[in-house]
């Protein structure tokens, strides 16, 4: 992973987060990766690395201690509690905290599991510092970021795993159901979707139930694939 690029970049003054640095946690079980990365990110003007963590339980504890945290940069393969489970817990307990996965693993199962758990971004450790900073900023703004390798694998997975002859989406989905599917495809949990759409979490669940029934979607991972196939995520 390249980290020898300039560390200062101008920040968009229109960014609503511009009045304070983004609070970031860096999680990786290897101190030789975690600490240098945290140090480099902390030199970026609009990022404040408030904690580092070596496993998922440390991530959750740090998220409470430093709350509110904007973004967690999350490795997947960690002891005690892995990054996927930590992402799921963060999505449920701290919906305002975005997760960007940074890992060496770009296999289909790892990608889909992380996105289904609520990750908003997915990068491999080939990413440079500028790519990581860009992903952190985008995730904090509610956007999804996938590196090219991950995006290509997801698209290939969609093509091979959709039921034969099935249309990505049925024509009778409502506008709201499409909006909900878009946010599922971006990795948002129900609570965050409710906040985005200014509706209750119970209403989100109703839309999801209707969406899944109409489209024949089996689970949240399947919903992510269908959203990608339809160009919604």
């Amino acid at each position: 992973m390249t980290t020898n690029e300039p560390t200062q970049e101008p920040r968009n003054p229109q960014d609503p987060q511009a009045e304070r640095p983004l609070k970031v946690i860096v999680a990786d079980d290897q101190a030789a990766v975690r600490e240098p990365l945290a140090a480099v990110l902390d030199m970026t003007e609009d990022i404040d690395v408030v904690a580092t963590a070596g496993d998922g339980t440390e991530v959750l504890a740090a998220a409470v201690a430093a709350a509110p945290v904007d973004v967690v940069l999350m490795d997947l393969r960690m002891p005690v509690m892995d990054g996927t489970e930590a992402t799921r817990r963060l999505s449920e307990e701290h919906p305002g905290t975005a997760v960007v996965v940074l890992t060496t693993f770009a296999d289909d199962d790892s990608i889909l599991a992380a996105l289904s758990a609520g990750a908003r971004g997915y990068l491999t450790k080939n990413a440079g510092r500028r790519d990581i900073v860009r992903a952190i900023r985008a995730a904090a703004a509610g956007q999804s970021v996938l590196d090219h390798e991950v995006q290509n694998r997801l698209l290939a997975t969609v093509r091979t795993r959709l039921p034969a002859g099935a249309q990505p989406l049925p024509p009778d989905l409502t506008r709201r159901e499409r909006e909900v599917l878009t946010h599922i495809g971006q990795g948002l949990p129900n609570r965050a979707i409710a906040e985005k759409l200014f509706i209750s979490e119970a209403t989100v669940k109703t839309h999801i139930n209707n969406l899944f029934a109409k489209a024949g979607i089996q689970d949240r991972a399947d919903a992510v694939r269908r959203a990608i196939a339809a160009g919604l995520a």
Side-chain angles (χ1 to χ4, degrees):
M1 180 173 56
T2 303
T3 59
N4 58 353
E5 301 167 3
T7 58
Q8 296 294 329
E9 293 181 3
R11 193 171 184 193
N12 182 357
Q14 301 303 316
D15 187 340
Q17 295 281 358
E19 64 254 15
R20 68 166 177 82
L22 296 173
K23 295 170 68 174
V24 174
I25 295 172
V26 176
D28 195 295
D29 65 328
Q30 299 183 43
V33 173
R34 180 177 70 242
E35 300 305 331
L37 177 58
V40 168
L41 291 176
D42 207 34
M43 295 172 64
T44 305
E45 183 177 3
D46 60 342
I47 291 177
D48 179 14
V49 177
V50 295
T52 62
D55 62 60
T57 60
E58 292 182 3
V59 171
L60 296 176
V64 171
V69 173
D70 296 295
V71 179
V72 175
L73 196 60
M74 183 85 75
D75 189 21
L76 288 184
R77 306 292 171 88
M78 297 186 293
V80 186
M81 179 189 293
D82 66 21
T84 301
E85 177 61 17
T87 297
R88 185 189 66 78
R89 292 277 301 274
L90 280 171
S91 296
E92 293 176 353
E93 300 169 16
H94 304 276
T97 300
V99 173
V100 174
V101 170
L102 180 64
T103 181
T104 58
F105 302 96
D107 59 281
D108 296 348
D109 290 340
S110 295
I111 295 168
L112 290 173
L115 294 179
S116 297
R120 196 170 291 169
Y122 199 112
L123 304 176
T124 65
K125 288 184 178 177
N126 293 325
R129 190 202 63 83
R130 286 186 178 177
D131 293 329
I132 296 170
V133 169
R134 192 175 298 117
I136 289 171
R137 290 171 177 161
Q143 302 168 9
S144 295
V145 178
L146 306 175
D147 72 16
H148 293 305
E149 179 183 357
V150 171
Q151 188 171 24
N152 289 339
R153 290 194 68 90
L154 275 175
L155 290 173
T157 300
V158 167
R159 296 189 189 100
T160 59
R161 294 193 183 185
L162 281 177
Q167 295 296 320
L169 290 178
D172 60 339
L173 290 185
T174 66
R175 176 183 60 83
R176 185 65 89 190
E177 288 163 356
R178 286 178 175 270
E179 289 174 342
V180 169
L181 181 59
T182 297
H183 290 310
I184 291 175
Q186 293 170 346
L188 298 185
N190 290 357
R191 189 183 306 174
I193 294 173
E195 292 173 356
K196 287 273 188 182
L197 299 179
F198 302 101
I199 57 179
S200 70
E201 193 169 351
T203 302
V204 171
K205 291 179 181 178
T206 298
H207 286 310
I208 289 175
N209 289 337
N210 293 339
L211 165 66
F212 281 25
K214 287 180 181 179
I217 295 173
Q218 301 301 313
D219 52 32
R220 216 167 179 93
D222 189 26
V224 172
R225 291 193 292 269
R226 299 289 287 272
I228 294 169
L232 299 179

